[in-house]
Amino acid sequence: LNFVYVKIEGQKPTQTATLEPKAELELRPGRHKVSLRKADTDKWQSAGTIELKAGKRYRVRMIKGNGSNALEGASVKLELLD
């Protein structure tokens, strides 16, 4: 699996964006649901939630799952950059 589509849903009103493998996106502080898929025609699979604090920069990485495909059971890891 070389890359996946990532969808990040934020607080109301919902912010949703589909990102290329490496991209930057500004999100409001708070809790955001993360979903993944391999192709634009696949169903979104939940990868968990992230909690962002104001004034901080983060990197979100995908942790591959143990299922029959890399997205099955996948999750995300949040890293504080500054």
Side-chain angles (χ1 to χ4, degrees):
L1 182 65
N2 294 328
F3 83 93
V4 297
Y5 292 92
V6 179
K7 179 170 74 170
I8 302 173
E9 298 178 66
Q11 301 163 331
K12 294 182 182 177
T14 298
Q15 294 177 314
T16 304
T18 302
L19 307 175
E20 291 296 327
K22 291 185 177 182
E24 291 188 14
L25 177 69
E26 280 193 38
L27 297 170
R28 293 187 306 252
R31 178 163 271 210
H32 300 270
K33 178 183 172 187
V34 180
S35 300
L36 308 170
R37 67 182 180 188
K38 291 195 303 186
D40 61 358
T41 56
D42 292 343
K43 287 181 64 174
W44 289 105
Q45 297 184 37
S46 176
T49 59
I50 54 175
E51 182 79 30
L52 305 177
K53 295 185 180 181
K56 302 292 182 185
R57 289 181 349 122
Y58 299 89
R59 175 180 293 132
V60 179
R61 293 181 185 249
M62 179 186 134
I63 308 299
K64 291 182 181 179
N66 294 323
S68 59
N69 68 59
L71 294 185
E72 190 174 317
S75 61
V76 291
K77 179 180 178 184
L78 188 65
E79 300 173 4
L80 180 62
L81 296 177
D82 58 22

